[in-house]
Amino acid sequence: MRVFLAGASGAIGTRLVPQLIDRGHEVIGTSRSPATAERVRALGAEPVLLDLLDPHAVRKAVLESEPDAIVHQATALANVRFSRNLDRSFAQTNLLRTEGTDTLLAAAREAGVRRFVGQSFAGMRYAREGGPVKTEDDPLDPTPVETMRETSAAMTYLDEAVTAAGGIALRYGGFYGAPNDGLLEPVRKRQFPIVANGDGISSFVHFDDAASATVLALDQDGPAIYNIVDDEPAAVREWLPVLADALGAEPPRHVPVWVARLFAGEAGVMLGTESRGASNAKAKRELGWSLRYPTWRQGFVEAYATLRASASERSPVPANVGHPRSASR
Ligand SMILES: NC(=O)c1ccc[n+]([C@@H]2O[C@H](COP(=O)([O-])OP(=O)(O)OC[C@H]3O[C@@H](n4cnc5c(N)ncnc54)[C@H](OP(=O)(O)O)[C@@H]3O)[C@@H](O)[C@H]2O)c1
């Protein structure tokens, strides 16, 4: 197939291009600058410069490329400062998920594109009631916390618009596997604490596994929604110390809810205490997806081994010596 990949130069896009090519697809990959276009070309795709928020340019690029499939992986999360207000941090990404999706879908219709796969997200979206792990059929949170209402609405918009057009929305877990992953700096600086009992559940997915599921989704008839997450949804109190250790950082702090509310806002408290995880059973069953990193336990260690080694080099003693909790592991 000829695959038009919006966001080919991004964290997931750069993992996806080689996997698509390995599968025998031709890739037309978008980015926004000559430098990122060169990265896309080096990966083996045909680069196209494109602002997804420019409908005329999108229409022209899609019609000229004559793709069989479109994959929407454009977000605007690089260099974002995550504030207490998630909607502020995600404002541009939310536009890419609403207007960007509409524009791509309109171009897809006009160009007779048969397949459409869009990037959605599983974390912090399912209703904060009942069991800890949710399937695609479980209800979404009807009352998202105030500072992430627009962000939740944008993801729901994408899910609905893509599936209404017969496409597939992939609700990925929290991505990891790159040296600049957003979580790393706060965890290293002990700015990401365990809130109260740390009961909030997270689902993760390694970029390589996220990409392999996306390749498989292109062979699947829509409409459909899939959770693309690993096998082990886990409470923050479980995964956060493991991540800190994998980075050679000190163990996370513990803070009560009122302190977390002051520093991380309501969304941070929700993530730490109430968020639900997601099940990948449907993706495994229907896409035939198998994971190279079935759990973040193995994935964090492998992904960040080099970073941990350089942390140890900077420190005269092994990075976890002197921390009582790491001694028991
Ligand atoms: N669901 C999530 O929570 C999620 C999703 C994605 C990424 N992330 C995290 O965010 C961090 C940064 O991600 P990233 O490196 O992928 O960068 P990013 O800034 O999110 O960019 C992703 C892709 O979208 C493209 N893009 C951005 N704005 C665009 C626009 N207006 N029109 C068309 N394309 C546009 C980028 O092009 P250029 O490269 O040319 O700017 C790039 O190809 C990573 O740590 C990653 O783990 C999280």
Side-chain angles (χ1 to χ4, degrees), residues 33-297:
S33 73
T36 50
E38 266 324 299
R39 204 177 309 149
V40 171
R41 188 194 302 280
L43 290 169
E46 186 186 316
V48 172
L49 288 181
L50 185 65
D51 180 352
L52 207 53
L53 300 176
D54 176 345
H56 297 294
V58 172
R59 177 176 180 272
K60 182 167 179 286
V62 171
L63 288 175
E64 283 179 0
S65 305
E66 299 181 349
D68 303 296
I70 293 181
V71 180
H72 177 2
Q73 298 285 4
T75 51
L77 296 168
N79 308 319
V80 158
R81 252 193 94 72
F82 285 92
S83 68
R84 288 156 38 96
N85 187 323
L86 272 194
D87 284 341
R88 207 172 300 144
S89 310
F90 274 80
Q92 188 71 6
T93 293
N94 292 344
L95 281 179
L96 291 168
R97 287 185 166 148
T98 52
E99 292 177 23
T101 300
D102 279 344
T103 304
L104 275 177
L105 283 171
R109 258 191 308 274
E110 194 175 339
V113 175
R114 291 181 294 118
R115 301 266 189 216
F116 194 103
V117 175
Q119 179 191 129
S120 183
F121 190 55
M124 302 172 80
R125 292 192 65 204
Y126 286 105
R128 293 169 275 156
E129 59 186 22
V133 179
K134 305 299 187 187
T135 73
E136 296 81 351
D137 293 333
D138 284 315
L140 296 173
D141 190 348
T143 52
V145 302
E146 201 178 324
T147 51
M148 58 173 290
R149 274 191 198 145
E150 290 166 17
T151 304
S152 296
M155 295 190 235
T156 303
Y157 185 90
L158 182 144
D159 289 352
E160 291 176 357
V162 168
T163 52
I168 292 182
L170 299 179
R171 290 181 182 161
Y172 297 104
F175 289 128
Y176 73 91
N180 63 347
D181 285 342
L183 264 181
L184 304 192
E185 202 56 19
V187 172
R188 268 201 212 97
K189 293 183 172 165
R190 302 184 83 206
Q191 290 167 345
F192 195 120
I194 294 175
V195 182
N197 293 330
D199 285 337
I201 309 287
S202 309
S203 279
F204 288 99
V205 68
H206 190 286
F207 281 118
D208 289 343
D209 287 325
S212 69
T214 310
V215 173
L216 291 169
L218 278 174
D219 287 335
Q220 189 74 5
D221 288 333
I225 292 179
Y226 294 103
N227 291 331
I228 303 299
V229 297
D230 77 11
D231 290 352
E232 194 180 354
V236 178
R237 66 171 176 276
E238 281 186 62
W239 64 257
L240 186 50
V242 175
L243 176 56
D245 195 41
L247 293 172
E250 293 187 34
R253 298 175 202 277
H254 290 253
V255 301
V257 166
W258 70 268
V259 172
R261 192 170 282 129
L262 280 178
F263 290 99
E266 211 50 58
V269 171
M270 193 278 258
L271 171 73
T273 60
E274 290 186 310
S275 184
R276 297 306 201 255
S279 160
N280 63 15
K282 182 181 176 191
K284 284 179 156 182
R285 194 174 61 239
E286 295 187 9
L287 300 178
W289 182 44
S290 59
L291 289 87
R292 181 167 168 202
Y293 302 96
T295 157
W296 46 269
R297 287 183 197 279

Side-chain angles (χ1 to χ4, degrees), residues 301-325:
V301 171
E302 291 188 27
Y304 305 130
T306 323
L307 301 178
R308 191 178 203 293
S310 37
S312 303
E313 271 165 29
R314 283 195 301 273
S315 162
V317 291
N320 59 359
V321 167
H323 303 301
R325 238 157 329 129

